Amino acid sequence: MPTAVHYKEEDKKLIRRAYRKLLKSIQVEDMNPTDRANIRKAYDLAVEAHSKQRRKSGEPYILHPIEVARICAIEIGLGPTAIISALLHDVVEDTEVTLEEVRETFGDRITLIVDGLTKLDGLYNVESPQAENFKKVLRTLVEDVRVVLIKMADRVHNMRTLGAMPRHKQLKIAAETDYIYAPLAHRLGLYNIKTEFQDLIMKVKEPDTYRDITNKLQDTEQKRNRYINEFIQPLTKALQDIGYPYRITGRPKSIYSIWNKIKTKKVPFEEIYDLFAIRIILDVPMKLEKRICWMVYSIVTDVHRPIPERLKDWITTPKSNGYESLHTTVVGPKGQFVEVQIRSERMDEIAERGFAAHWKYKGISTGAQADVYDNWLDSVREILENSDSDAMEFLSDFKTNLFKEEVYVYTPKGDMKILPKGATALDFAFSIHTDIGYHCAAIKVNNKLVPMGYKLQNGDQVTITTNKNQRPNEAWLKMVVTGKARAKIRSALRENRRKQGEFGRESLERKCRNLKIDFEENVDTLVKFYQFNSRPDLYFGIASEQVNLQEIKENFQVEGNKLVPIEREKQVVEPETPVEVKRPRKYEGKPRLMINGSLDEYEYTLASCCNPVQGDDVFGYLTTHAGLKIHRTTCPNATHLMANYGYRVMKAEWVISTNTSFVAELIITGVDDGPGVIERLSRSIASDLGLNIRSFFIEGHEGYFEGKINLLVANTNQLNVAIRGLQNLEGVSSVTRLETN
Ligand code: MN
């Protein structure tokens, strides 16, 4: 170590040992001489540059970049360029070394990466430096994915060594990791790193629970291993007969996921049956992967009975982050449920290392697999291009669009489009092409007309009809969730406003000429008087008739070249007397139900989440604070309640009576051909069906309408008649009862 003269002898030893460990793990002897020499140069430069710094733990700072380089190589699987960049990742930010010096020695590529890893300076005037920096990292991500992978390695090491930090800093770093890095790791398919992040976050946030679960896992290890053996034993013969090498592991699940189960299922550790998953990994040629994985599935399920609903085939359709695997849950010995994951070695590497492994297999990967990351990178690029300068907004767009799971939908020609979960039909239109979005006039899903705000479901086939006269309006902003669509609609609205504003400006200029005053001299007086924020706002205000130019004479007098507001006494506005609002009564008479076979023994109320109607299939659920609630069995809450709190569920049956009425909520969609719709609907309900409307809300979107009607009905028969009747009306395309509000 020629340069590191500033280090004490004991530190030198530590550093040398760390460096040797790095070299050994990356098998430096097998690298080409240039890479080898550059790694050494990067190491020397970093050792020298960081010589005056120490980490919070007291150890020499240089140990951090060395370890980050090792994580890049071993845990993410990156090559020499990343190793060199990782060694240098903090020198520009923390030391005297400049980017130019890095460029002279290591060239453009590594400089680009190091620059991406260097925090922005001069971050004053910025609300969230964290968000700004993250945006910068992503910008570089588009140019070189390694930036974000090294950033991950950096974060992993910082999280692992968090113990030396004061508690409040630990919490802050953990929260950041939770907000951005863990979801990003998930998105990049860095499964191991994501899991470790979650565990380390929990270790900071809930240290006691973390320790508790760790101990319990250790205590039960032997018992678990015995069980796993018992599970595997009967499979081995058949697996060997396939003729390809395989491994079976039975790893416990992460502390975090166990804790999650304890919380959501509200059961103690001792009652969690699936503390581990069995993984069967086969070393097979790529073209046989799928066939052999299903063969293994067949072998496993011959011995252990499968639970069909738990079968997940991510081999035929990989997850959006590239994950491929075949999962199933079977009933193992002693009736215990066991999750089994079946995959090839290649799939396993992708599952553990995600993005990085993807590059390695890029050349040979199948279409779907290879497209996954390219599509993702495209959407990152898109968000970057469309995002305004506001970093916080960018970050939230990024989170909603790129961390969420996706829906898969199809174009009329059968091309698959991937959109974030929750995306609407209008988002789809914008995803095809901006112009198609702008002029989108009608949308059909699976050949049925839907409102623009329709939430896409997996497998939907979407057809867009455009009309060149169609233009985006304010309401559209509420009907999209993707960053791209939102940005495009906003810019169209802005453009529209600007165009309209031009008319406003022209009329103002005319007015000024009439009054024989100078435009430039007076326009700001008007902006201020009418309380606008800017001139364009005033112009738009004039164009949209918020400001009446005729009133200028009433509000101003002309003094020479200038308008001067006329002083008036402030008017005192009398407070209006509050109007008494009558709330509609919920039920005309009290509905009667038999609860657990007896009448009038229990007090109960109808659940407001699903509004049961006399005749519906219902059950009673004993709440902790609100007494007995009656839910529909189709209520989305029902599955959860019944599965988890079976002991609180009570049988409930209607005692049919005629003088009771119930609220039923209907969603009606259809073609809006003018003002006739509301009239037709209300006439049909009131006159033809003889029902009372409690509330009626209708919204038109360019030729389509979506209405929400609350009806008072006596029972499900009446309700079904009403639904059928409304469905037959001209222009109505769907009538559905709301499952839950
Ligand atoms: Mn660092």
Side-chain angles (χ1 to χ4, degrees), residues 61 64 89-90 154 158:
Y61 192 87
H64 166 64
H89 83 269
D90 276 334
D154 183 33
N158 287 335

Side-chain angles (χ1 to χ4, degrees), residues 109-209:
R109 177 56 50 179
I110 283 169
T111 310
L112 177 100
I113 298 175
V114 173
D115 185 31
L117 292 163
T118 305
K119 283 190 189 139
L120 293 167
D121 47 9
L123 276 175
Y124 33 84
N125 223 350
V126 170
E127 207 182 316
S128 167
Q130 192 54 38
E132 282 295 345
N133 277 318
F134 190 70
K135 192 170 171 183
K136 183 185 171 192
V137 170
L138 287 173
R139 235 182 221 131
T140 343
L141 156 75
V142 178
E143 287 171 63
D144 197 314
V145 189
R146 283 171 290 201
V147 176
V148 88
L149 295 175
I150 297 168
K151 192 87 197 156
M152 285 291 167
D154 183 33
R155 185 50 64 136
V156 168
H157 188 236
N158 287 335
M159 286 295 289
R160 283 180 189 165
T161 52
L162 214 50
M165 294 272 181
R167 172 99 182 129
H168 71 278
K169 277 220 170 132
Q170 290 187 15
L171 284 167
K172 192 189 146 269
I173 294 171
E176 246 170 52
T177 308
D178 197 9
Y179 188 71
I180 282 292
Y181 292 94
L184 188 55
H186 172 78
R187 203 57 194 73
L188 295 168
L190 301 164
Y191 179 77
N192 283 351
I193 288 181
K194 179 195 88 172
T195 311
E196 188 176 346
F197 277 154
Q198 288 174 330
D199 277 1
L200 291 171
I201 292 163
M202 183 189 162
K203 197 174 167 189
V204 172
K205 292 211 296 208
E206 315 258 339
D208 296 341
T209 325

